[in-house]
Amino acid sequence: TINGTSKRGYTNNAGWGNACGFRFIDNPTMNNCSHGTYNTDNSGTIKITDVEGEEIAAYGSKWNNMSTSTFASCVTVEDIEATITSNNSPVCEGETITLSGSQTGASSPAYTWKFSATGNYASATNVGTGTTLNITNATTANAGTYYFLVESNGYSDYDEAGVTVNAAPSAPSASGTSVCSGQKATLTVTGSDTYKWYTAATGGIASGEGNSFTTPAITSNTDFYVSATKNGCESSRTKVTVALKDNMAIAKTSGDDNQQVCVNAQMGTIKYNVSNATGADVLWTPRKPAGVSDSYAGGTVTIEGTPSEIGEFSYTITPQGGCGTASAIGKITVNAVPTVSAGGNTATAFSVAQNETLTLTPSVAGGAWNVDNTNVAEISAAGVVTGKSVNSTTATYTLNGCSVTINITVTAPNVSTFELTSDNATQTFCAGTALEDIVYAASNVSDVEVTGLPVGVTSNFANNTLTISGTPTASGEFNFTVTPTPLYGTIEPLTGKITVNAMPVISHEGVEGTSFEVEKDG
């Protein structure tokens, strides 16, 4: 057996039939034995040295009979050169490490890829064959030194290359937000990595880059995605949702939003629930009535109070600070409390005689009357009270929810009277004499008619007294009639008689007179 050791530390073994095969590494131009020298010593050993005189190998005595020319013709060399031609390092975790190699000088090449995490060829392990090495789904454990080994006919060479595998950064932490329809959202992420924003969970082209990203106008709930990049390695994507905010809304929860209330009386409280808003404005037309308040707290609008002015007051409630628009309207009508009068006298208490009537007139028409005890008094829709029995009750007049209560007292029945008080309804006197006054007293009589009086005599009715007086200008008998107009019941007419006697007349020879002359002894 022939043994030899190369400069790279590998051993070439060959039989006698292949005595050639040393690679001269120190001077690659030595591609056959003629570039070296060889000789035999006294022990029959053949020594081969390179052109620098360094001994490469020594061979035993079986070479003793070998001529110099024969040895020179048999020593040939495969000058192998292994080269890693491509290396995609650095790569990121999860990516594929790809290395490619080529060689020159090998006639029957065999390719082996070795790997050492520490860069030690002696301890490198085989990881692949062929001229290309692919390591898929790489991790940081795949980082180190890769060797491309080429072997042919007992000769070999290798090339080496370092590979870096960078860990991918963690997916960023980002929170979604909400906006009104048609608005844009600004999404943010905190950190020192490079951040890319996408509209898809995988694939696609980044829509933006940086710690913040402004979205297009949002019209529906929309998902965006953000990744972190460090050392050229991109993390998985984090979903960030931009949700549409609900529009503002308002709804009445209690009370009457179109109520009527009496002035200086407490109104019914009105409440509204306001959602998806930060507040609410209340606009009054023509103004907010004195004594009424409106407030907003905790999503509730409250309208309450005791209005102290009369009129119609409309309001509009508009939520604020949210999306969209919403409103609620209402009206408060403040009515006057009516008053009642009878015979031009405004009061809260009236009396009426039994079986008689009294007309009550409200300050504002259109309301309804009601009497508490109809056995005492009745009242019509027109406000006419009829006394039924001697007692007291109340009558109430209501208009637009406002009421006034009147005390009604029913007294004993009223009586109309008319009587002669002078006791001289029949008189006789001479013409030219004044009539003695005839006097009548009246009660509950509205008027008196006197007929049949002589000329010169008149009647006068005033202060419940009828007086007949005067001086008749004619003589004769005059029967007169006095007819009173009672307020209650009926009164029969009264009569009287005035007799006016003519004065006697004296005449002489057809001439009337009151004095005459008579001749003596005539």
Side-chain angles (χ1 to χ4, degrees), residues 120-132:
N120 183 359
Y121 179 84
S123 62
T125 58
N126 293 345
V127 292
T129 59
T131 57
T132 299

Side-chain angles (χ1 to χ4, degrees), residues 5-11 25:
T5 302
S6 76
K7 293 289 187 176
R8 292 201 176 187
Y10 62 84
T11 301
I25 300 173

Side-chain angles (χ1 to χ4, degrees), residues 235-295:
S235 71
S236 59
R237 299 176 186 178
T238 298
K239 182 171 74 172
V240 185
T241 299
V242 179
L244 283 184
K245 292 180 179 179
D246 291 332
N247 286 335
M248 298 182 293
I250 182 170
K252 181 171 67 67
T253 56
S254 64
D256 183 0
D257 57 5
N258 187 19
Q259 65 176 275
Q260 300 198 39
V261 61
C262 301
V263 65
N264 297 321
Q266 185 173 359
M267 64 173 288
T269 299
I270 311 170
K271 291 191 176 184
Y272 294 84
N273 179 63
V274 176
S275 56
N276 308 315
T278 59
D281 290 339
V282 183
L283 177 65
W284 291 87
T285 303
R287 63 187 174 279
K288 180 167 61 177
V292 174
S293 67
D294 59 68
S295 62

Side-chain angles (χ1 to χ4, degrees), residues 4 59 198 260 290 428:
Y59 297 92
Y198 298 87
Q260 300 198 39
T428 300

Side-chain angles (χ1 to χ4, degrees), residues 84 87-90 97 99 142-147 160-165:
I84 295 177
N87 177 5
N88 67 339
S89 177
I97 300 171
L99 298 170
N142 299 121
T145 304
Y146 288 82
Y147 302 92
E160 63 185 64
V163 171
T164 299
V165 179

Side-chain angles (χ1 to χ4, degrees), residues 1-6 10-22 45-48 56-64 66 71 74-75 155:
T1 309
I2 300 175
N3 299 312
T5 302
S6 76
Y10 62 84
T11 301
N12 176 63
N13 299 316
W16 173 254
N18 185 16
C20 305
F22 290 95
T45 299
I46 299 175
K47 296 181 178 180
I48 303 175
I56 298 175
Y59 297 92
S61 59
K62 62 173 57 182
W63 292 77
N64 288 343
M66 183 177 180
F71 182 78
C74 77
V75 177
Y155 311 103

